Amino acid sequence: MTVETPAMDGILLKVSGLKKYFPVKKGVFRRTVGWVKAVDDVDMFIPQGETLGLVGESGCGKTTCSRSILRLIEPTAGEVWFRSKTLNGTVNVATIHRRQMKLLRREMQIIFQDPYSSLNPRMTIGAIIGEPLIVHRVARGQEMRKRVAQLLEAVGLKPEHMRRYPHEFSGGQRQRIGIARALALDPQLVVCDEPVSALDVSIQAQVLNLLEDLQANFGLTYLFVAHDLSVVKHISDRVAVMYLGVIVELAPTETLFTHPLHPYTEALLSAVPVPNPDYESDRILLEGDVPSPVNPPPGCRFHPRCSYAKEICSQQIPKLVDQGAEHYTACHFATSLSLRGVKVA
């Protein structure tokens, strides 16, 4: 069967029906007795040159989703359409051949969360940043060292640092090295997997400003995975909110923060601390625990903890629908609920 290529005018990445299930095995013979539905039917798109923030609480499937898009983890089902320059057209990342995937790696890169474990302690910085250039046969020798020096300067480090080892750098400097490595092959899409969560607050601001400068200078497109909503508000053009493996809301940043249409988004925003001693927080406390992704609740996955839930919420799965002005919400009562805007500094 021929899969029809979707219209990609101005869109770099389009994800449709993405799923990733992990088997649950028990017994002596390690039989599969269930599935962890880490990512379950996710739809999203990222226009060229924009930053999409992907947020949600720990364990909701953000990192699994981003790595499935890059095929660092093989997706169970779904389509990931990417407009490639190397392959001269729009390709489905989830199904292309291994050789084509290697070529596509030049255009899709990732910045990992932990700057300490993501760098090989036995390699010099020059070797770490230069490795992608050698693997993809882009540059060697003097040409490679020149490219590495340019990348180090682009992220705020010095060319002479290429002779040092990772343990000689601070956490913020290591993350800059990770960013330089991600940019080595001049990618179009960069997945930022919580790139500042392991850094001090003062260093976070420097790294975020660096990412914004690099985006402007190199024309990058970001998928920015994070759980800190203040960081996401600062850097993102649009925000997707994830809960228990599904996208529940997707909207432009300012719209989402001032007029959330999903009860889970409302609760998330109410939990963000505001640096104003005179501001009285109107915190929304969710009842119960997050359901297990092995056995998610029927209907809307948020309904057991939702104060607005009706009978239909436990029976029918809400679809992600455009409520107007590119504000997508998966809620049966998104148009009738009067949710409160929450100030986030």
Side-chain angles (χ1 to χ4, degrees):
M1 185 177 75
T2 303
V3 179
E4 184 179 354
T5 304
M8 298 284 284
D9 295 338
I11 296 176
L12 179 66
L13 180 76
K14 187 173 184 179
V15 178
S16 178
L18 184 65
K19 298 181 180 181
K20 179 57 187 178
Y21 296 171
F22 295 97
V24 178
K25 298 181 181 292
K26 287 186 178 180
V28 177
F29 298 103
R30 307 300 295 164
R31 292 175 178 170
T32 300
V33 296
W35 298 90
V36 176
K37 299 178 180 179
V39 178
D40 197 10
D41 202 15
V42 164
D43 297 335
M44 68 171 72
F45 63 93
I46 312 178
Q48 181 83 43
E50 287 195 8
T51 299
L52 175 66
L54 183 60
V55 303
E57 57 195 330
S58 297
C60 71
K62 304 186 299 296
T63 295
T64 303
C65 179
S66 63
R67 297 193 179 193
S68 296
I69 289 172
L70 297 179
R71 265 184 77 179
L72 295 178
I73 299 175
E74 287 291 333
T76 303
E79 299 173 352
V80 181
W81 295 98
F82 183 79
R83 196 170 60 186
S84 171
K85 292 180 180 178
T86 306
L87 300 179
N88 298 317
T90 301
V91 296
N92 185 359
V93 179
T95 59
I96 61 174
H97 192 270
R98 188 174 179 180
R99 292 180 181 177
Q100 290 179 305
M101 193 66 227
K102 183 178 179 180
L103 293 174
L104 200 62
R105 293 284 180 214
R106 299 184 184 186
E107 301 182 73
M108 306 172 73
Q109 289 291 313
I110 183 170
I111 301 169
F112 295 99
Q113 177 180 1
D114 188 358
Y116 292 90
S117 62
S118 61
L119 302 179
N120 190 334
R122 297 174 180 266
M123 297 173 65
T124 64
I125 301 308
I128 290 172
I129 299 175
E131 186 176 28
L133 300 172
I134 295 175
V135 170
H136 290 270
R137 299 179 180 179
V138 175
R140 287 180 178 274
Q142 186 61 34
E143 185 181 353
M144 182 197 74
R145 288 188 287 273
K146 183 179 179 181
R147 174 63 175 159
V148 171
Q150 292 172 345
L151 289 166
L152 286 172
E153 289 180 333
V155 298
L157 297 176
K158 297 178 181 180
E160 52 264 31
H161 287 162
M162 71 173 70
R163 302 183 188 90
R164 299 183 184 179
Y165 289 85
H167 72 270
E168 300 180 67
F169 295 89
S170 66
Q173 289 175 320
R174 291 188 190 199
Q175 196 59 290
R176 289 173 185 267
I177 294 165
I179 294 171
R181 177 177 59 184
L183 298 180
L185 296 171
D186 195 21
Q188 291 196 81
L189 174 70
V190 178
V191 173
C192 306
D193 185 10
E194 303 202 31
V196 297
S197 62
L199 306 178
D200 294 336
V201 175
S202 59
I203 305 301
Q204 287 184 10
Q206 296 177 20
V207 174
L208 288 175
N209 290 335
L210 172 64
L211 289 172
E212 288 185 321
D213 292 341
L214 292 172
Q215 184 175 38
N217 294 335
F218 295 96
L220 301 173
T221 302
Y222 290 147
L223 173 59
F224 195 93
V225 179
H227 60 265
D228 189 332
L229 289 172
S230 298
V231 170
V232 169
K233 184 180 182 182
H234 174 75
I235 198 170
S236 301
D237 297 298
R238 294 181 306 124
V239 179
V241 181
M242 199 167 187
Y243 180 79
L244 206 63
V246 297
I247 300 292
V248 296
E249 190 159 7
L250 173 63
T253 303
E254 193 63 31
T255 303
L256 186 92
F257 277 78
T258 57
H259 188 58
L261 291 180
H262 196 281
Y264 177 64
T265 307
E266 181 190 29
L268 276 184
L269 294 178
S270 74
V272 178
V274 177
N276 183 353
D278 298 325
Y279 178 79
E280 295 184 5
S281 175
D282 193 8
R283 179 74 184 271
I284 300 173
L285 298 177
L286 297 177
E287 297 181 358
D289 297 324
V290 180
S292 170
V294 177
N295 186 26
C300 175
R301 295 192 174 187
F302 186 64
H303 87 264
R305 308 173 72 192
C306 180
S307 58
Y308 303 102
K310 308 291 184 183
E311 184 178 356
I312 190 176
C313 299
S314 61
Q315 298 173 350
Q316 294 184 17
I317 299 175
K319 295 181 180 180
L320 195 65
V321 178
D322 188 357
Q323 306 295 339
E326 294 189 348
H327 192 157
Y328 298 84
T329 312
C331 178
H332 292 297
F333 302 101
T335 56
S336 59
L337 291 179
S338 178
L339 303 183
R340 295 161 288 184
V342 183
K343 291 194 297 183
V344 179

